[in-house]
Amino acid sequence: MKYNLAVIEGDGIGPEIVRAAIRVLEQVAPGKFNYQQVIAGGRSIDQHGVPLTDEALATCKNSDSVLLGAVGGPKWDTLPGHLRPERALLGIRKELGLFANIRPARLYPVLKDACPLRKETADKGFDMVIVRELTGGIYYGERGRKQDSDGNTIAFDTETYNQTEIDRIAKVAFELAGKRRRKVCSIDKANVLESSRLWRERVHVVAKDYPDIELIDMLVDNAAMQLVKNPAQFDVIVTSNMFGDILSDEASQLTGSIGLLPSASLSSGRCGMYEPIHGSAPDIAGKGIANPIATIVSVAMMLRYAFDMNDEADRIEQAIEKTLQKGCRTIDILDNDTQPLGTNAITDAIIAELA
Ligand code: NAD
């Protein structure tokens, strides 16, 4: 059986890193995938005048999974909001119902010198997964501007969550924790926000179905501090759209480079979208120096979550680790005494480990 993979190379470094990841995928699962190229983002604006055509969306919807590089770049920065390349992603997330964003943040032991934390904290290492709610909360709530009676302009955004949205994301977090170290930390601002109080209530209701998983609650301001003080304490974090957006970027930086971190966006069905967490890096696009590891690990996540190909996913992760242990480095994770490898050269090294 062959799976259909919708491939959005996107803009900037997108094509370089996606092609590298597909070379690795073909090494571990040769001939298992049909690749359907989808034009979205800036390239789609140039070719079709919109960031995502109906046809492109339909291809994604009809595929078994979507692999994305990144979209956007300075060329399209001055377009109005509804025509920006990033709109393509919002459209795909909404139409595919991708409500759960899974972002692992793990410090590779061999890269602990790249961690910006104190040595004794980095030495302990960390391996956490942030589960961020992706289709609700303040990014989707009612917003607008109005004038008060004195002519003052008021702007407002609304944080709204219903219990169904909270229950389903909590379930994702507990299921994931069951396959890891069995700890969930739910992050909210329940001392101030009513939406957070419902969040906390519902997470505890869902927790009753998972008696063997430890649950703790943490306020978001404390969580921001704990991430830099003692990241090793976290296993699975579950949180709302905006808190997850901010905390996952904070966590990513602790690993040393944004070029290492993958993500998966999942729906209640099988089809998800897999992508590195970084953007299109226009400053290094076309130079052949981008780090492909985040995209390659995203492919490993896809194999594990969408296709139950755990052995293949493990092999990819082990090959990356061995490649790093041998001292192979791209420019973003360079030690002082090594020569940087380009995108293709480090991909060759990873493939050599796999072979
Ligand atoms: P960015 O993540 O593209 O780049 C930030 C910095 O990290 C840059 O210096 C870049 O060179 C470096 N970097 C990123 N990925 C790297 C890699 N794989 N290897 C080596 N270095 C890497 O963020 P930005 O500069 O803020 O955004 C650039 C564009 O990407 C913008 O148009 C933005 O809107 C878009 N963007 C897209 C996505 C997405 O498609 N999911 C996400 C974030 C940003």
Side-chain angles (χ1 to χ4, degrees), residues 5-295:
L5 189 58
V7 178
I8 305 175
E9 290 186 343
D11 308 311
I13 60 170
E16 303 161 45
I17 53 176
V18 167
R19 287 170 201 172
I22 287 178
R23 284 176 57 210
V24 173
L25 181 55
E26 278 300 306
Q27 181 69 34
V28 291
K32 279 256 178 208
F33 293 90
N34 288 318
Y35 302 100
Q36 293 165 306
Q37 296 294 332
V38 175
I39 308 285
R43 267 166 78 190
S44 176
I45 294 169
D46 289 350
Q47 287 185 23
H48 306 292
V50 288
L52 186 69
T53 62
D54 291 345
E55 193 192 351
L57 182 59
T59 306
C60 294
K61 266 181 153 173
N62 295 328
S63 68
D64 293 308
S65 278
V66 181
L67 176 65
L68 167 75
V71 297
K75 182 176 176 191
W76 306 281
D77 273 352
T78 51
L79 291 172
H82 68 287
L83 282 180
R84 294 282 297 266
E86 292 80 1
R87 265 303 155 112
L89 304 186
L90 295 182
I92 294 171
R93 281 175 192 164
K94 186 162 166 278
E95 289 297 320
L96 270 64
L98 303 175
F99 68 89
N101 186 227
I102 317 279
R103 287 186 171 197
R106 167 172 174 248
L107 183 62
Y108 288 97
V110 67
L111 291 182
K112 62 180 194 285
D113 289 345
C115 173
L117 300 178
R118 286 149 70 136
K119 187 177 175 313
E120 57 270 32
T121 310
D123 281 347
K124 280 202 264 170
F126 58 85
D127 178 359
M128 72 183 92
V129 179
I130 298 184
V131 177
R132 167 189 168 196
E133 201 290 326
L134 200 59
T135 52
I138 199 163
Y139 293 173
Y140 288 86
E142 194 189 336
R143 73 182 51 135
R145 289 190 182 206
K146 56 189 180 186
Q147 304 252 305
D148 71 8
S149 51
D150 297 332
N152 262 333
T153 302
I154 301 169
F156 63 97
D157 300 273
T158 320
E159 169 91 350
T160 313
Y161 270 112
N162 65 45
Q163 73 178 66
T164 310
E165 290 170 322
I166 302 167
D167 289 8
R168 67 181 182 180
I169 194 76
K171 197 165 178 293
V172 170
F174 284 109
E175 292 285 337
L176 196 56
K179 295 176 192 151
R180 293 172 47 91
R181 301 196 306 277
R182 298 179 177 275
K183 281 172 68 177
V184 170
C185 175
S186 171
I187 293 174
D188 60 39
K189 188 70 183 166
N191 54 341
V192 179
L193 302 175
E194 195 55 35
S195 52
S196 277
R197 286 193 272 271
L198 179 65
W199 179 280
R200 194 175 280 208
E201 266 168 53
R202 294 308 309 176
V203 170
H204 280 263
V205 169
V206 175
K208 293 197 174 101
D209 292 335
Y210 299 90
D212 57 338
I213 310 266
E214 178 193 339
L215 169 65
I216 61 160
D217 302 299
M218 195 177 279
L219 295 174
V220 64
D221 35 357
N222 185 25
M225 193 174 75
Q226 293 297 331
L227 271 175
V228 291
K229 197 173 164 205
N230 179 16
Q233 72 186 283
F234 295 110
D235 179 18
V236 173
I237 286 175
V238 62
T239 191
S240 63
N241 203 341
M242 183 166 69
F243 295 160
D245 190 6
I246 297 165
L247 294 177
S248 60
D249 269 23
E250 184 186 351
S252 76
Q253 204 44 47
L254 304 182
T255 67
S257 170
I258 198 168
L260 296 168
L261 291 185
S263 79
S265 301
L266 306 178
S267 66
S268 45
R270 194 176 179 86
C271 182
M273 182 155 77
Y274 299 84
E275 58 179 310
I277 72 157
H278 58 74
S280 59
D283 52 334
I284 57 167
K287 295 184 180 166
I289 58 172
N291 187 346
I293 290 179
T295 317

